[in-house]
Amino acid sequence: MTSTELAVAVLLVVGIAGIVVPVIPGMLLIVGGILLWAVDLNTTTGWIVFAVATTFLVLGTVVKYVLPGRRLKAAGVPRSTLVIAGLAGFVGFFVIPVVGLFIGFVLGMYAAERNRLGAEAAGPATRTALKAVGLSILIELAAAVLAFATWVVGVLVTG
């Protein structure tokens, strides 16, 4: 394994971790890592691997917004609730580093839904929204794993 391949592998692993813990720009690290490898390799195979991996990531990004968005719309959760939850997650990140992002998001979601629907309906609405957010993360993670696998195949083919 070359030093470039090792650096790219680290970038990809950190990128995948960044998808699960949304503090690190995971998708950008993955695209950047594979681009670094393709530039270093500078072969047709390298550029094909980069194109296929990037396609997986772009499709994953589109689907991660479309599919959960449809579920939220069908459940009647407004965009304003997600904005409030996102802002609360951002504040939570600084109050309780890393873990506060998730705690703030959930509390913000619940508070917005409680304000909008009342105490009784806030729990089910919050669970529906959280399931949609979880689905979004899983879709992004699947796209990242496919991009990673594409890169591994490229390394094996060119090695």
Side-chain angles (χ1 to χ4, degrees):
M1 179 174 259
T2 68
S3 59
T4 302
E5 290 171 348
L6 182 61
V8 170
V10 169
L11 282 173
L12 297 183
V13 169
V14 171
I16 289 173
I19 291 168
V20 177
V21 181
V23 178
I24 303 165
M27 294 290 227
L28 290 176
L29 286 176
I30 294 169
V31 167
I34 296 173
L35 177 61
L36 173 69
W37 176 77
V39 167
D40 183 59
L41 194 61
N42 200 23
T43 64
T44 303
T45 304
W47 290 111
I48 290 171
V49 166
F50 174 72
V52 171
T54 302
T55 301
F56 281 134
L57 295 172
V58 168
L59 288 173
T61 300
V62 170
V63 172
K64 89 172 191 170
Y65 288 112
V66 171
L67 191 59
R70 286 183 183 167
R71 285 188 173 191
L72 288 172
K73 188 175 181 180
V77 177
R79 189 175 306 266
S80 61
T81 294
L82 295 175
V83 170
I84 290 168
L87 290 173
F90 181 76
V91 170
F93 175 76
F94 292 104
V95 174
I96 309 169
V98 182
V99 179
L101 178 70
F102 301 108
I103 294 170
F105 183 83
V106 171
L107 290 177
M109 177 78 66
Y110 179 78
E113 288 299 276
R114 183 181 171 115
N115 184 48
R116 184 175 76 91
L117 300 171
E120 215 171 283
T126 301
R127 281 190 291 281
T128 299
L130 289 174
K131 286 178 186 175
V133 170
L135 176 62
S136 174
I137 291 170
L138 285 176
I139 291 167
E140 188 175 6
L141 187 59
V145 168
L146 286 171
F148 187 91
T150 302
W151 174 73
V152 169
V153 168
V155 168
L156 294 174
V157 167
T158 59

